Amino acid sequence: MDLLAALLLHLTLTGLPIAAGALGWARRGVRSVPVLLALGLATGAGLAMATFWAFTLSPTVGKVFSVAALAGSLMTIGLALRGSGVPRDLLRALGVPFGLWALGSCFLLLLGFAHGGAATPIATATTRFTHQLPGDSQIPFFYATVFYEGFDGPPPQFPGQWLSSDRPHLQTGYLLGHRLWEWGDPELQYQVGGVVLQQLWIIGLWALLSACVGPTTRALVMVAALLSDLTITNGFFVWPKLLPVALLLALTAVLATGHQRWIRRDWRGAVLVAALATLAMMGHGSSVFGLLALLVLVVVRTVLAGPWPSWRWLGAAAAVAALVLAPWSLYQQHVDPPGNRVLKWHLAGQVDVDERGTVETVIDAYHRVGLDGALENKWWNLRTMAGVASDRYQPGPGVGPVEAVVKERRASAWYGLLPSLGLLLLGPVALLVGWREASRRPADRDFAVLSLGLAAVGALAWGMVQWGPPAAMSVLHAGSLLLPLLALCGCVAALRAVLPRVAIAWVALYALVQLLLYVPSFDPPRGTTYSVPLLLGSAACLAAYTGVVTRSVVAGRRGRRRCDLRHG
C-alpha cells in the first residue's frame, strides 16, 4: 500500500503542472494535441528548474515556491475546466497519454519490486534488470536532500569528488518540489518519484506519434517502447537520462511534423522550441546529441522549403535560452566551480580531477593521440554502437546456462545501440527490400525514414564527438537516449509500412520475448520472494495500457469512417 500511495502522490505532483500548462493553453484556443502536450511538458520542467533555483536561495524560499506552484497549477486547471473553455473531445484526447503514463509507471514500478527490495529501493534498482550498475542514480537524491535541508558554505560533494555543478539538476528540481508532501522512507519516495519522472517519455512519444502516424502504428510503437530494454532498465534505474527524452520527443513533434511552419512563423513557437531544447539540456548534457540531429533536420528543411525564421523569432528563442541556461552557467562558474568534469571525461577521456580547463584538456588529449589515434577512437565508437566492441557479460561461478544467456542479452542491450533494438531490427531490412510496397502507406514510410534518419545523424555526431576507449566509449547510456527511442519508432513504422499485418504479430512476439527477459530476478535482495500481488498488479497495468492504446485504434478508425461518410 505504501508503494501505491507513493505512486499516486508523485503522479499527482508531477502531472498537475503538466496538465495546467496543457489546459491553460487549450483555454486560450490551442487545439493541437501534440502542441498542447509539448506546452505541458515545458511548463512542468520549467517549474521544476524554478523550484531548484528557489531552494538554492534557501529551504524556506523553496518550500514557499513549491506550495505556490502547486496552488497555481490547481487554479489554472480549475479555470480551464470551468464552463466550456476546453471542448470535451480535446479533454478526452489529452487524457489518453496521461492515463498511459500512469499505467506505464505503475507497470514498471510493480515489476521492479516484484521480488522484493522496497526496503532498499535504490540498491535494488542497481541490479534488478541488468548487471551491477554504478551509484549515479543516487546523485539527484543526494542533492535533493542537501538543498531541502540547507547547508553552510559551498554545496557538499557527492562521493567520488563529484560537485553539484558537474551535472544539471532538472530531476533534483522536480524532487525538491515533491519533498514537502512526502512521508515515510525518503529513499522509497525518491525511487517512486524517479520512475514517474523517467516514464514521462510516454507523454512525449504520444505527442510525436499523434502528429505523424495513424492509430495502429501509434499503438504498436507505444507497446514496443514500454517493453523495450531501454525504458525498462533506464526507467527503473532512475539516473536522469530518460527524463529529458520526454522534452526532446515533444520538440521533435513540433519541429519535424506539420506544425513546423507555424512554429517557425510565430514568436511563441520560438519560446516553446527554446524552452524544450534548453530544459532538456538541464535534464542531462547528453541531450545535445539529440538536439544536433534535430538542428540538421531543421536546417535542411529550411534550405529546401523555408520559411526562414525572423529576427523577432530568433530574439525570442535567444531570450528564453538565456533565461534557462545563464543561471546554470553562473552557478557553475561562481557558486561551485568549475563544473566541467563530465565534459572533460566525455570529450577528452580525462577521468581524474585536475585543474585544466575543458578546451585545454581536449586539445591536450587529441595532441597526445594524434590523427591516427583519434580516428581509431571514433572507429571504436561506431563499433560500440553496433555492439561489436562493447563490454560483454561474463558469467560467474554457479550461473546456469539460461541465466547466463539472459544476463548477456540484457548487458548487450545496455551497452550497444543496435543490440538494444533486438527483434525490431527486422523493420529497416524490410523497408530496404520492400520500398515499393511501402509507398502504399506513405505516412508510416515517411515517419520511419524520419526517425531512422534522425537516429543515424545523432549517432554519427555522438560517435565523432565522444572521446573513445577506454574511458569514454559511445556505450548507449553515454549518449542521448532519444536516439535509440527514435530508432525503435523507425523500426516499428518501417515494418508496418511494408508488412502491416506481420508488424502486429512481430511486435506481439517482441513483447513476449521482452517479458521473458525482464520478469525474472536473478540477483534479488536476500530473504525475498516473488510477490504474486505485485506480479498480478504489474500484469494488470500492462493489460490496461495495451487496452487503452487498442481502444485508441478503434476510436481512430471510427473517426475516419465518420469523416468518410460526411464527405461521401
Side-chain angles (χ1 to χ4, degrees), residues 18 26 228 237 249 256 259 299 339 344 394-395 423 483 490 538:
I18 300 173
S228 67
F237 181 68
L249 286 167
H259 300 283
V299 169
K344 290 163 65 175
Q394 300 295 332
L423 293 174
L483 305 178
S538 181

Side-chain angles (χ1 to χ4, degrees), residues 380 383-393 411-417 419 473-476:
W380 270 91
R383 295 181 66 201
T384 299
M385 293 181 203
V388 177
S390 59
D391 294 343
R392 298 181 66 86
Y393 167 74
S412 65
W414 172 262
Y415 287 112
L417 175 59
M473 288 194 299
S474 56
V475 290
L476 185 63

